[in-house]
Each structure stands twice: as structure tokens, then as C-alpha cells.
Amino acid sequence: MKARIGIVINKNTDTDKPVGKLSLKEAEAELARLAAETHRADEAYYAHDKPEITDAEYDAMRRRNLLIEKRFPKLKRKDSPSDKVGAAPSAKFEKVRHAVAMLSLDNAFDDEDVTDFAKRVSKFLGLKAQDEAAFTAEPKIDGLSLSLRYEHGELVQAATRGDGAEGENATANVLTIVDIPKKLIDAPGILEVRGEVYMSHDDFNALNKGLERGGEEPFANPRNAAAGSLRQLDAAITASRPLRFFAYAWGEVSEVLADTQTNAMKRLEGFGFKTNPLTKRCRNVDEMIAHYRSIEEKRATLGYDIDGVVYKVDRLDYQTRLGFVSRAPRWAIAHKFPAEKATTVLEDIEIQVGRTGKLTPVARLTPVTVGGVVVSNATLHNADEIKRKDVRVGDTVIVQRAGDVIPQIVEVVKDKRPHGAAAFSFPDRCPVCDSHAVNEVNPETGKADVDRRCTGGLICAAQAVERLKHFVARNAFDIEGFGEKQIAALFEKGIIKEPADIFTLSQRQNTGEVDLYTYKMKADGSPHFDKNGAKQLTNKKSVENLFAGIDARREISSARFVNALGIRHVGETNARLFVTHYGGVKEFYAAAIKARDDEREAYQEMLSIDGVGALVARAVIEFFDEKHNREAIDRLLAQVTPQKVETMASDSPVAGKTVVFTGKLELFTREEAKVRAQSLGARVAGSVSAKTDFLVAGPGAGSKLKKAKELDVRVMTESEWLEFIDG
Ligand code: IVH
């Protein structure tokens, strides 16, 4: 199993003894061998430009070297590879596709939201008041989620959540976490255990003290510390950070774990996982809320961060029936704790220009700690909000922070307002390109928009760079090693002006048109160009990693591609709607052009997509109407290939078919029937027509049944339908 988990150690020797078992003599010999081999690999890579081993093998050697040095500090050699800066370990974690997507949770902010959630569950399942569903309630751990894959009882892979569909391989690092069993006894052949990696308050404080003593930047909070520790390329560093793990869910399993969430957790405990001791089975909403309050009371004394309580439907057959809505399960919800607040002073209001030209006022605050995190900026949203709250520079304000969202100013302490503090006057020109900034009028409502936008469009550097940042963002092209800072620097240098330029970088490097080796990355990952343009060969590896990251995205999902374009009102969800409807990027592009050319049918078809309204359709048409947008897309399409969209569950007998449900349904609720059919790739219509493939009729069906018979549509009973889709 060693190769599967990505650790290739001692490729050229027969020494693969675990570090913990090495004798002093063996350790000394092993350090000498590793120093020599690392040196040879460096020579081959740097001096001859001919790498002899893979990045993973190289990283593994350095990791083993460091682990041995940690165990036997006195044996550390003068020529130790750990002291060499020239050869940074690969800046890459391999990507891992999750067998079952890792989802997020919807939020409830008060008791009423929880009641509504329980009602929705009952309604969906068609439960009567007396047989209400039971729920589990457990703390929501403020860490980062992880999926652990076991095959035949052996831990073969660990992956971070990433975007839910694809995460990063963290196996080598996870092997160092004590709470995570490496072998399971009597487990299903395939078992993916999911849970949260976190750091305790004590360990966090000790770690920060150590970092500060060593002159290093401390972490802002335990969550960041846990994430930073797990994302170490050097597993020896992860090993030195005390990470912990609570299991709370699972992904792919080759056999059913249990009948209820409660019993599934018991099985995970039986395998050796830690589950949260505050997990409780609740029979109704009152018990759920009572347990929430009791967890809230204990919050400060738990010794680790939690940010709410998660409720899950206990019966697993109910969970299956409830399924998912976009990215969150219908059978679970997170009841968040109220936001934390603090008082500070508003020092200034700055205006930021976004990708669509929106001017956003940002409050610069005297730094203040809110719930353990230092806050120095807060969003003020728009001019209206500043006016409504009457926020002025110099004011004492109350800020609040809830989870990961940007802190907000909740109110101004008017008594403390300094004399002469003037009302803020919102600029009518863009602070970056000086174009006029206006509040557009919505053509549908005739009302002026609350947001003021820069009219500079293409000439506005702020908009251009924000568009590029959006293009490479995590839910768009997500290019490894290419973040906001890199984009900003390359934009500033004129090396990247539009998305296609990213994909011609390596070619331009080869022809000498640009020279990326003349800048190096600063410690914080931002590029720094050498003033004299001297070649920084030490940087060669990171540039090559960047090219590899770019090449890896030359094939991209259509939904990511469309989201990356940054069309107004078309984010992740709408991008997915469009590409699944049209089948791909080119088809969507063609349809938008057709709709623009006043082909009523094409425009109507766009509006017929469930979830797409006139505002969105118009934004799409306007976007494709711009010649420069079409040209930029054409240049991009010459570089990258969006994948065709596979229709969901194409092997189902109902995929692509249209079904109508009628009559009083007894075996499932209408909502459940609809969702299930859709998840199998069927279209659910409200009326029978020549396009209808199946009519599922419950007792009391009337006119629809009659019409279906006239049109020779296949009619089924509920149980026939169930058999048909399950077959
Ligand atoms: S259940 C399909 N239980 O919260 C549902 N999640 O905001 C899987 N989290 O991505 C999640 N504690 O990382 C669940 N006790 C808990 C949790 C928990 C923390 C995280 C998890 C998830 C995020 C959603």
C-alpha cells in the first residue's frame, strides 16, 4: 500500500526502516546517504536541468531526512539537505477527486430556523405529527474537513475538502495525526470516514509562543493553525504540530454502516475514531434546542473552537430519501452561535473597485480582537448603508464577526462621536481610473441600483485585475500556484492582460518574449521582480511548477469555464445551469448569440431554464454581444478545452425523459418524487403533452390521466414507477 499513499522512500537502497526503529548507527548512515542523494538530485535538476527523480521522491527524501534529524538532533550533518534553500520542495499537493462529493451545510441562525428545518423534513417525508423524525445534535467543530479512505482496513488516502468535488492529497501529513487510526479491524472493504481536523486551545497557544520565540509570524486562530499545519509540504513539520480529529460522517462505503446516524457513529468509534462526546439523539425540536443551549453554555470550557451545533436526521433511510439540494444535504443543518462583537474606532473609509466596477466602501479600523481574531477591516457594503447607519470617520463603532464572513459594522456609538466629524461623501468618480461612477437604473423596476459602479469598463485597471483574479479563483480555473498576488504582479508588469495570456506564458517564456525567471517569490508567495533583471535560477522550480499547474487546467469543466468568464449574475450555480442545459460551453455561447439575434425561440429557451430569469438572460446576451468579450473567449478557447457536460445518471432508464406526476401520491410526497426523478436525469413537467414520456398516476387521477391515454403516453402506478427507476 505504500505507493498508493504517495510515500516513496529509499528508492535506491534497501533501507526502508521506519524512522522510529533506526539505531543510532543506522540513522547516521541513513543521513549520509540522504545527503548524498539529495545533493545528486539537486545537481541533476539545477546544474544539468535533467531531473533524475520525481518531485514526490525528492520531497520524500527530504522529509525522511528531517524526521531522522528530529529524532537524533546531534547527528545532523553540516551538509544537511534541510539547510539548503535552493531546492524548495514541490509547491504542489496532488489533486484528489472525491468518490462522493464533500458537501457543506445550510445554516440556521435562530430557533425558528430550526423549527422550519424540522418541518421541511417532515413535509418532504410526508410524516404525520405523531411520528416526527428524531435528530442527532452535536457541536460544529471549527476546523477543516478531511476525508479518509480505507481499503481493506488500511488507510490509503486522505484528502482535504477543496471545492467539494476535488481536494488535495494530504496523506503523508495525516499519517502523523495520532487521533486517526491507520488500520481498521472488521471494517467494510471500502470506507471513507469524514470529519474535522482541529487544534486545541492549549496546543494553539503553545505553538504560537514557539513561533514567536523563533521570530515567526503567529497564527490568527486555531483553525488557521490547523489548516497551516496540514498544508505543510514537509510532513515532519505537521508531525510536530498536535492536530486532532473528530469523525462525524462518511463518504463511499462498500456496505451499509448502520440503520441510524447514532449507530453509524458507534461503529466508527468501534474502529477507533474519536467522535464528539456531546453528541445526543433528540426526539423533537424542543430537545434539539435544549441541547444547543447546553452546548453553548459549555462552549468556553471545551478547550477547542466550535461555531454552532449540527443537527442530522437520525434514520439513515430518511437521509437517503431526503438527499441533497445543490451543495448541502436536506437532512442536516448547522445552527450557528450568534456573532461575536467588539468596540473600536473607524479610522478611515476606503473605496475598493470590484470586477464588475462596483465601488465598495471598506472601513479601516483600529485593530481589535473579536472572538479571538484580530479585525482591522470591515465591509460597509454601499453608500446607502453608510448613510443609514450614519457612519463617519472618527466614530466609535461596534463590529461583529460571524465565522468566516467579513466583519461588519453593526452600529455607531453616537455619544462618542468627535466634534466636527463630517458625513462621508461617496465619490462619483472611480478612484482607480477616474471614470464616472454611477448608480445604474434597473430596466425592469425603473429604480436606481444601490451600488455605484465605475463606467470605465475595459480601461479600468482595477476591474481588469479583479476579473483575472476571479478567473483563477478556487471555484473557477483554480490554477495551482497561481493566486491573486501572482496575477496582480503579472498584470502590473503587462505580462498578463486577459485570461488567454495565462496559457501562452510557457510558450512566451520559451521564445524569450517574457522572462519569468527574472523575478522570485517573496516569502509570502508574492512575486518580486529583481531590479537588475538578474536571472534567479533558484526560482526555476517554482516557475516550472506554475507551468505544470497551468497545463493541468487546459482541460476544464464547462461549469468552471463559464463561471470564470465573470458574466454578471452568472456565478457557480447559474454557470452549472447553463452548461447542463446546453451541454457545453460552445453550445451555450452559440445559444447566447442566437438569443441576441432576436431569435425569440432561443431567448425563450434560455428563460425556460429553471432558475434563469430575464435579468440573468439579459446579462448573458449583453456579455456575448460585446465583440471584445467574444474575441477574448475565442483566444481562450484556442488554449483550453472545456469538457462536454455529462448528463446526470445517464444510465438510468428515465434520463432525458419527461415525467408527470398526478393524483394523490401515497408512497412518496410530490417534492420527493420530483427531486428523485430529477436526480436520475429526468425532466418533471406539470402538464401532459406530446413530449411527455411517462405519467405516474396515484389514486384519484383525472384529466391528466385522460389526456395521457389519448396521447398514448405510458402510464404507471407509484409502485411500478419505483420498480422502474430502481431496476
Ligand atoms: S456534517 C453532509 N458535522 O462544517 C454533511 N460537519 O459548514 C457533512 N463541520 O463542511 C457535514 N463540524 O467541515 C458535519 N459535526 C459536524 C461538523 C461539520 C464541523 C464542518 C464540515 C462542513 C462544514 C459545513
Side-chain angles (χ1 to χ4, degrees):
M1 277 299 142
K2 232 170 219 159
R4 278 296 302 269
I5 54 177
I7 301 181
V8 186
I9 294 171
N10 297 326
K11 197 184 172 225
N12 303 320
T13 75
D14 54 2
T15 330
D16 62 357
K17 236 188 194 179
V19 172
K21 295 213 170 122
L22 291 176
S23 71
L24 194 73
K25 253 194 132 143
E26 284 169 334
E28 192 172 17
E30 191 61 354
L31 286 178
R33 181 187 72 80
L34 288 166
E37 292 216 345
T38 318
H39 180 68
R40 214 179 67 198
D42 282 346
E43 281 276 310
Y45 188 92
Y46 289 101
H48 309 299
D49 234 354
K50 272 202 185 122
E52 286 180 354
I53 57 172
T54 66
D55 284 358
E57 287 166 339
Y58 182 83
D59 294 346
M61 283 205 300
R62 286 174 65 99
R63 205 149 51 220
R64 181 165 169 84
N65 186 74
L66 211 90
L67 279 169
I68 301 175
E69 286 174 354
K70 263 197 149 41
R71 191 159 164 242
F72 302 101
K74 291 220 172 84
L75 293 184
K76 186 170 169 187
R77 300 168 59 93
K78 284 218 173 68
D79 63 348
S80 164
S82 12
D83 292 338
K84 282 197 203 153
V85 282
S90 136
K92 282 186 281 192
F93 284 97
E94 190 197 318
K95 295 263 178 197
V96 174
R97 192 146 264 285
H98 297 300
V100 174
M102 287 183 83
L103 300 149
S104 56
L105 293 168
D106 277 341
N107 293 325
F109 295 101
D110 54 31
D111 297 359
E112 199 184 327
D113 288 348
V114 179
T115 311
D116 289 347
F117 160 69
K119 275 194 192 144
R120 276 200 304 277
V121 166
S122 283
K123 183 155 178 251
F124 188 97
L125 296 170
L127 301 180
K128 307 263 168 342
Q130 67 271 19
D131 52 30
E132 244 179 307
F135 293 85
T136 57
E138 67 196 287
K140 182 170 188 297
I141 316 298
D142 196 6
L144 54 142
S145 48
L146 201 65
S147 186
L148 307 166
R149 187 177 174 89
Y150 294 83
E151 287 178 8
H152 309 291
E154 222 172 308
L155 177 59
V156 293
Q157 190 170 68
T160 60
R161 179 170 182 272
D163 63 5
E166 203 177 63
E168 282 177 341
N169 189 340
T171 317
N173 290 349
V174 161
L175 289 173
T176 70
I177 301 178
V178 188
D179 278 354
I180 294 179
K182 313 299 176 295
K183 273 194 194 312
L184 311 180
I185 296 168
D186 287 338
I190 292 175
L191 171 63
E192 284 182 0
V193 176
R194 291 177 175 175
E196 206 84 352
V197 173
Y198 67 100
M199 194 180 278
S200 76
H201 291 161
D202 285 351
D203 291 335
F204 166 72
N205 291 331
L207 171 65
N208 265 358
K209 265 200 194 119
L211 288 173
E212 277 173 342
R213 237 182 281 127
E216 287 183 68
E217 189 83 10
F219 286 106
N221 55 48
R223 199 178 100 92
N224 287 3
S229 303
L230 197 66
R231 278 192 59 92
Q232 286 294 332
L233 289 159
D234 187 342
I237 299 182
T238 313
S240 70
R241 307 266 175 90
L243 294 175
R244 294 162 193 242
F245 182 79
F246 275 128
Y248 53 63
W250 55 93
E252 191 181 350
V253 277
S254 55
E255 57 190 77
V256 178
L257 278 183
D259 54 348
T260 59
Q261 178 77 25
T262 311
N263 289 335
M265 287 301 108
K266 283 200 184 122
R267 273 206 83 190
L268 294 186
E269 280 165 31
F271 295 140
F273 290 97
K274 299 241 159 60
T275 62
N276 197 288
L278 293 175
T279 310
K280 189 182 167 205
R281 183 174 185 276
C282 303
R283 284 166 303 180
N284 51 45
V285 172
D286 288 345
E287 287 186 13
M288 288 152 78
I289 289 169
H291 193 51
Y292 169 89
R293 301 260 181 273
S294 102
I295 292 177
E296 195 178 22
E297 270 170 28
K298 296 187 184 87
R299 185 180 184 186
T301 57
L302 290 178
Y304 52 86
D305 279 351
I306 63 171
D307 56 354
V309 171
V310 181
Y311 307 118
K312 297 172 189 168
V313 169
D314 196 31
R315 272 176 60 164
L316 298 187
D317 58 336
Y318 282 176
Q319 287 192 4
T320 310
R321 281 175 59 189
L322 284 155
F324 303 90
V325 209
S326 75
R327 297 185 153 222
R330 263 194 210 87
W331 44 266
I333 202 160
H335 189 177
K336 301 298 280 277
F337 292 134
E340 297 180 80
K341 294 180 186 167
T343 304
T344 186
V345 172
L346 174 68
E347 295 180 349
D348 200 3
I349 296 176
E350 279 175 22
I351 302 289
Q352 277 178 358
V353 186
R355 132 177 98 83
T356 59
K358 182 181 159 191
L359 305 191
T360 304
V362 177
R364 303 284 176 219
L365 308 165
T366 306
V368 61
T369 308
V370 191
V373 172
V374 179
V375 168
S376 45
N377 302 315
T379 175
L380 283 163
H381 300 294
N382 52 45
D384 271 13
E385 167 145 330
I386 299 181
K387 218 183 260 167
R388 186 160 28 86
K389 291 182 178 161
D390 187 18
V391 180
R392 303 183 184 192
V393 172
D395 271 343
T396 294
V397 292
I398 295 171
V399 285
Q400 94 175 11
R401 187 188 70 89
D404 277 345
V405 294
I406 309 166
Q408 297 184 320
I409 292 185
V410 268
E411 64 174 284
V412 172
V413 185
K414 292 268 168 64
D415 299 350
K416 296 200 175 163
R417 172 165 289 168
H419 284 295
F424 182 71
S425 96
F426 206 89
D428 53 14
R429 285 190 170 270
C430 170
V432 175
C433 71
D434 205 35
S435 301
H436 279 290
V438 297
N439 295 61
E440 289 166 7
V441 174
N442 183 325
E444 272 166 38
T445 59
K447 279 192 190 146
D449 198 38
V450 284
D451 295 322
R452 195 165 288 180
R453 284 174 202 281
C454 158
T455 55
L458 280 185
I459 68 141
C460 180
Q463 290 188 45
V465 78
E466 290 305 318
R467 274 197 298 269
L468 284 165
K469 284 181 190 169
H470 172 79
F471 185 85
V472 298
R474 197 160 150 197
N475 52 8
F477 266 71
D478 191 22
I479 297 171
E480 187 79 51
F482 212 41
E484 296 198 347
K485 286 176 181 159
Q486 283 78 10
I487 280 284
L490 292 174
F491 178 81
E492 201 185 308
K493 287 273 153 190
I495 293 176
I496 289 180
K497 298 192 195 74
E498 63 168 37
D501 295 341
I502 297 171
F503 293 92
T504 57
L505 265 182
S506 61
Q507 183 197 330
R508 286 187 286 156
Q509 173 76 33
N510 289 340
T511 59
E513 191 187 325
V514 299
D515 188 359
L516 295 176
Y517 296 151
T518 57
Y519 76 89
K520 58 182 175 185
M521 299 287 171
K522 281 196 255 177
D524 66 358
S526 64
H528 165 74
F529 287 86
D530 226 36
K531 277 198 202 78
N532 56 18
K535 285 207 166 197
Q536 297 286 332
L537 277 171
T538 46
N539 181 47
K540 196 159 178 167
K541 190 157 181 171
S542 55
V543 172
E544 271 162 18
N545 281 339
L546 175 61
F547 289 161
I550 291 171
D551 282 342
R553 289 304 198 186
R554 284 185 193 270
E555 275 216 12
I556 188 97
S557 84
S558 287
R560 279 181 181 272
F561 186 102
V562 170
N563 180 29
L565 296 179
I567 304 170
R568 254 179 98 187
H569 309 298
V570 181
E572 250 182 304
T573 309
N574 283 344
R576 212 173 313 124
L577 283 182
F578 281 123
V579 298
T580 21
H581 182 86
Y582 292 112
V585 170
K586 289 196 177 145
E587 291 78 2
F588 168 50
Y589 186 166
I593 299 295
K594 256 184 145 183
R596 175 201 64 175
D597 293 342
D598 198 29
E599 297 209 11
R600 288 210 62 75
E601 209 177 303
Y603 184 64
Q604 285 309 325
E605 179 176 346
M606 193 173 279
L607 288 181
S608 79
I609 304 174
D610 203 6
V612 174
L615 186 73
V616 177
R618 197 166 308 149
V620 166
I621 291 169
E622 267 171 25
F623 179 86
F624 285 101
D625 188 35
E626 295 277 357
K627 186 156 167 258
H628 62 83
N629 284 342
R630 291 197 305 274
E631 286 170 352
I633 295 175
D634 292 343
R635 283 190 290 268
L636 180 60
L637 282 171
Q639 298 293 329
V640 307
T641 316
Q643 289 149 359
K644 280 262 170 218
V645 180
E646 304 158 27
T647 42
M648 262 188 303
S650 53
D651 53 347
S652 156
V654 299
K657 304 278 197 240
T658 301
V659 56
V660 175
F661 293 93
T662 190
K664 185 175 167 339
L665 300 178
E666 290 176 325
L667 299 181
F668 33 70
T669 62
R670 200 162 291 260
E671 173 71 355
E672 185 179 358
K674 180 175 154 192
V675 168
R676 181 91 186 273
Q678 283 170 341
S679 76
L680 293 169
R683 266 187 293 272
V684 179
S687 57
V688 176
S689 73
K691 286 189 178 168
T692 311
D693 294 292
F694 309 108
L695 179 83
V696 179
S703 62
K704 285 184 194 163
L705 179 59
K706 194 162 157 249
K707 184 144 185 216
K709 283 186 177 154
E710 279 165 22
L711 292 170
D712 223 6
V713 168
R714 182 164 170 192
V715 178
M716 300 185 202
T717 63
E718 286 173 272
S719 43
E720 280 166 352
W721 165 255
L722 284 180
E723 211 169 290
F724 187 61
I725 58 177
D726 285 341

